[in-house]
Every structure is written in structure tokens, then in C-alpha cells.
Amino acid sequence: QVQLVESGGGLVQAGGSLGLSCAASGRTFSTSTIGWFRRAPGKERMFVGSINRIGDTTYYTDSVKGRFTISRDNAKNTVYLQMNSLKPEDTAVYYCAAEGQLAGHYTTWGQGTQVTVSS
């Protein structure tokens, strides 16, 4: 089991960059795939990207490919989401989540951090 806390959200102008962190506690962190999700105003929560246990494989939704980068430092129990070339449509609450026993099934979620991109 793990517990996750997101940080790093804030207000940024379009075209700017912002880095988010997902700090985890728990003995199983290094064995968990971590995903990033976001919920924009008036929309449902959507998948952003994920990183595997080791940190050598990542996946991204098409809308963020080439702009967002996920990385992890298991020694620090932290997963990162670096967001570049931000657009107003990236405005959302961003969440990190950890997989449970079933691959692709996320069972542990953080509280989220607000990212607002102004034009």
C-alpha cells in the first residue's frame, strides 16, 4: 500500500512550463506503476500518462505527447510530471495514482493539485 501527495501546481501563462511532484510513502512504492490523470472544469477525469516500476517506460495521451515528461526517482519515493509548452486547455486538477494488484487498475489516489494556464 502507498499514500500519494501531489505538489507543484499553480498559475502559469500559455507557453510556459510547470513541474509537478508526486511524493509517496509506503514500502511498495518502488514496485508500483504510477499514473498521472487530470480533471478539467466541466469534464471527466482523463488519463495523462504513466511510468512503470523501473522508470524506463512511459506512456502519454496524444494531447500531451512531446510536451509532458514523466520520470521517477525511487530513492526519493517521488514521481515527476514536467509540463512544457502549456496550453489553456491543460488547465485542470492533476492527480497521481498507483496501480494495485491488477495491471492498469489504479487503486490509490492523491488529493490533486490545481494547474491553471492563462492565455
Side-chain angles (χ1 to χ4, degrees), residues 20-22 29 34 36 50-52 54-56 58 60 68-74 78-82:
L20 305 182
S21 297
C22 175
F29 174 75
I34 302 296
W36 284 95
S50 65
I51 187 166
N52 72 335
I54 299 175
D56 61 352
T58 54
Y60 303 95
F68 290 11
T69 302
I70 301 174
S71 61
R72 71 189 299 165
D73 186 342
N74 287 341
T78 303
V79 172
Y80 305 96
L81 176 62
Q82 179 63 43

Side-chain angles (χ1 to χ4, degrees), residues 56-101:
D56 61 352
T57 303
T58 54
Y59 296 93
Y60 303 95
T61 191
D62 287 343
S63 63
V64 308
K65 287 181 179 178
R67 300 189 299 120
F68 290 11
T69 302
I70 301 174
S71 61
R72 71 189 299 165
D73 186 342
N74 287 341
K76 297 182 178 180
N77 291 342
T78 303
V79 172
Y80 305 96
L81 176 62
Q82 179 63 43
M83 304 181 292
N84 299 324
S85 301
L86 283 163
K87 306 174 181 179
E89 49 262 47
D90 294 319
T91 295
V93 176
Y94 283 71
Y95 303 87
C96 61
E99 282 191 345
Q101 296 180 352

